[in-house]
Amino acid sequence: MNLDEMSLSDLKKLQDEVAIAIFNYEKRKKQEALAAVKELAKEKGFALDDLLDVKKASKSSSKSAPKYRHPENAEITWTGKGRKPKWVVEHLDAGRALDDLEI
């Protein structure tokens, strides 16, 4: 294959084909490596996720810290994300600032 004799469109097509081939090769090699590591872990009596201490993502793990506190009941808080609670809306409607509620 003489690249100097190829047209620009043929070169670009070849470039795309090479990029796809490289991607597929790397993906295949990663899958093979992962399978080998999983098999080794299994031979030793472990699951790979246990060895890597992989934890499942859950909604509770992404809780945000409270940013605002109810002026009369310190146990009632709001993170500042999502819809404003009724007590925050009432506070703002009374002409007071949101900064007054910051923790």
Side-chain angles (χ1 to χ4, degrees):
M1 174 183 313
N2 187 351
L3 299 178
D4 291 331
E5 295 177 2
M6 295 178 72
S7 69
L8 180 60
S9 63
D10 288 340
L11 288 169
K12 288 187 176 193
K13 182 179 177 187
L14 179 61
Q15 181 182 28
D16 290 343
E17 291 172 357
V18 169
I20 291 169
I22 290 171
F23 175 81
N24 289 335
Y25 178 85
E26 289 174 341
K27 184 178 177 182
R28 186 174 61 251
K29 288 298 181 178
K30 284 178 187 178
Q31 289 172 340
E32 290 172 4
L34 181 60
V37 171
K38 282 183 177 180
E39 183 60 33
L40 181 61
K42 185 177 176 183
E43 288 173 11
K44 302 291 183 180
F46 297 100
L48 182 59
D49 288 349
D50 294 338
L51 294 174
L52 298 176
D53 197 29
V54 175
K55 296 181 181 176
K56 304 267 186 223
S58 66
K59 289 185 178 184
S60 62
S61 66
S62 63
K63 275 192 169 183
S64 298
K67 188 173 180 182
Y68 303 100
R69 181 169 281 134
H70 191 284
E72 296 162 7
N73 184 348
E75 293 182 18
I76 301 173
T77 60
W78 177 50
T79 63
K81 296 180 181 179
R83 202 167 92 186
K84 291 181 182 85
K86 185 178 178 183
W87 58 271
V88 172
V89 173
E90 290 171 354
H91 181 81
L92 296 173
D93 288 346
R96 290 175 255 169
L98 187 60
D99 295 344
D100 299 340
L101 301 175
E102 282 189 10
I103 295 178

